[in-house]
Amino acid sequence: PAGMALSVLLILLLSVLYEAVKMGKAVLLRRALQALPRSLSQEELVEPEEGDTDPGQGRWFQYHVCQTLFHVVQVVLGYMVMLAVMSYNAWIFLGAILGSTLGYFV
């Protein structure tokens, strides 16, 4: 019983973390879009102008890299939760559902 309770708690926490990563990815997308330069010419993307006062303009690539890492973490967590649910254990399934609900609510 203790092992099952620990397993359900772990799946619950993984589901909450999955939802948190999903939200973090959305926040990074918004920041990346704000940091995107107004001009999409190759010169603007590679080297911002020296007189440019917008510090976020050159950061769009860093935001994109962070989004990529968040995506990889989200996919790995999603597959881990899916594999746990595919054990066809009702308690594990309920832990995943409850964790996803709590993660979305928070």
Side-chain angles (χ1 to χ4, degrees):
M4 178 55 75
L6 187 62
S7 297
V8 171
L9 182 64
L10 180 67
I11 295 303
L12 186 137
L13 292 176
L14 284 176
S15 296
V16 169
L17 184 61
Y18 175 84
E19 292 293 332
V21 168
K22 187 167 70 169
M23 188 64 204
K25 204 168 99 174
V27 169
L28 277 176
L29 174 63
R30 184 176 39 222
R31 289 184 183 171
L33 290 175
Q34 290 172 348
L36 195 64
R38 295 197 191 283
S39 171
L40 292 178
S41 68
Q42 187 68 24
E43 295 82 23
E44 287 286 327
L45 291 175
V46 175
E47 295 179 18
E49 295 178 12
E50 291 184 22
D52 196 3
T53 59
D54 186 13
Q57 196 172 22
R59 295 186 186 175
W60 70 272
F61 185 73
Q62 293 172 350
Y63 286 130
H64 186 65
V65 170
C66 288
Q67 274 185 294
T68 303
L69 295 175
F70 268 57
H71 179 75
V72 169
V73 170
Q74 182 184 5
V75 167
V76 168
L77 287 173
Y79 277 120
M80 287 173 64
V81 172
M82 181 196 66
L83 285 173
V85 168
M86 292 304 292
S87 68
Y88 298 108
N89 185 316
W91 292 109
I92 299 286
F93 176 73
L94 290 175
I97 295 298
L98 184 62
S100 182
T101 304
L102 284 174
Y104 183 81
F105 180 74
V106 170

